[in-house]
Amino acid sequence: MTTPIRIPRSAVPAARPQVPMQRGVAPQQPPSVPPQPPVQPLPPQANGLATAGLVIGIVATVLSFIPFVGTVSWVLAPIGLVLSLVGLVKSTKARNGRGKSIAGIVLGVVALVMCILYTAVFVGSVSSVAQQSAAVHQVTYEVTTAKKTNVTVTYSQSRNDNLSMASVGDTASPWSADAQVSGLVGPTMTATLSPDVDHLGRADTITCTIREDGVQVAQNTATGPNASVSCAK
């Protein structure tokens, strides 16, 4: 009896896998990507704050040059400045209104400067008027006539704008009196020729003079039978 010979599997070479040959097949190409359209920039956004600030700044600047009416700019100028500043900040994102915002800021500053100047002038004027009103002046009233005719005189003695008048009647010429006067109402006087029984209808020349603190501030002359003259600072 014949015994079969067994060959171990490791001694038998492994068969190579057969790769089927593909004929006439072209290599695959990557899919084509269609061209993308260019990205369009976003249009500028509206910036109403910049426009409003510019308009208010123009109005405030124009009004600030008008006396008394310009006081309205104390309110309009800050509003225009705030709107223009906010509009300037917004212009970076909105890409619109930068020029208007800057112009509004400049006009608002100009309006404020004019308001400050007017206020300074007004305060200075009020202070000057108050000082003048409080100052006391030494006043001398004088009346003369060419023919020594008697005169009747009325003159002011106002203190702190409280009107006060004094008068003398049928007094000899030349005549003079001293008084202290203060306030905005300056010294005033009127003088008239007194009737002369001995020389009825006689014409004469009458002159009034006012001196304040030694300086002549008023003088006037009239001629006639019943001449009347007035002087005022």
Side-chain angles (χ1 to χ4, degrees):
M1 184 175 181
T2 305
T3 304
I5 301 173
R6 297 181 178 180
I7 300 174
R9 293 182 179 181
S10 58
V12 179
R16 295 181 179 179
Q18 299 295 325
V19 179
M21 297 296 294
Q22 296 181 358
R23 297 178 181 180
V25 178
Q28 295 182 358
Q29 298 293 332
S32 60
V33 179
Q36 299 294 328
V39 178
Q40 297 294 333
L42 295 176
Q45 302 177 8
N47 194 344
L49 294 176
T51 303
L54 176 60
V55 172
I56 295 177
I58 293 174
V59 175
T61 303
V62 172
L63 294 179
S64 67
F65 286 90
I66 303 176
F68 301 107
V69 179
T71 55
V72 179
S73 297
W74 275 115
V75 179
L76 294 180
I79 294 176
L81 273 175
V82 172
L83 292 177
S84 297
L85 288 171
V86 177
L88 182 61
V89 174
K90 185 180 178 181
S91 65
T92 303
K93 183 178 180 181
R95 299 183 303 283
N96 184 22
R98 179 178 177 82
K100 293 180 180 179
S101 298
I102 294 176
I105 293 172
V106 173
L107 291 173
V109 171
V110 171
L112 279 179
V113 170
M114 289 302 301
C115 289
I116 293 172
L117 289 177
Y118 273 124
T119 302
V121 172
F122 177 76
V123 171
S125 299
V126 172
S127 177
S128 177
V129 170
Q131 291 178 358
Q132 293 179 4
S133 178
V136 179
H137 302 280
Q138 187 68 34
V139 178
T140 299
Y141 299 100
E142 298 176 355
V143 177
T144 60
T145 56
K147 299 178 180 179
K148 307 300 181 181
T149 306
N150 289 356
V151 293
T152 299
V153 184
T154 301
Y155 57 97
S156 65
Q157 293 180 321
S158 302
R159 296 296 299 272
N160 299 325
D161 294 327
N162 295 321
L163 298 180
S164 176
M165 305 295 292
S167 62
V168 293
D170 197 19
T171 187
S173 173
W175 170 90
S176 65
D178 294 328
Q180 289 185 335
V181 178
S182 63
L184 298 179
V185 180
T188 61
M189 70 177 301
T190 59
T192 306
L193 293 175
S194 299
D196 191 346
V197 178
D198 298 329
H199 304 86
L200 293 176
R202 184 178 68 172
D204 200 350
T205 299
I206 183 171
T207 301
C208 66
T209 304
I210 299 178
R211 302 181 189 278
E212 184 179 82
D213 298 329
V215 179
Q216 179 176 309
V217 294
Q219 188 175 64
N220 200 3
T221 300
T223 301
N226 300 303
S228 179
V229 70
S230 63
C231 289
K233 179 182 177 182

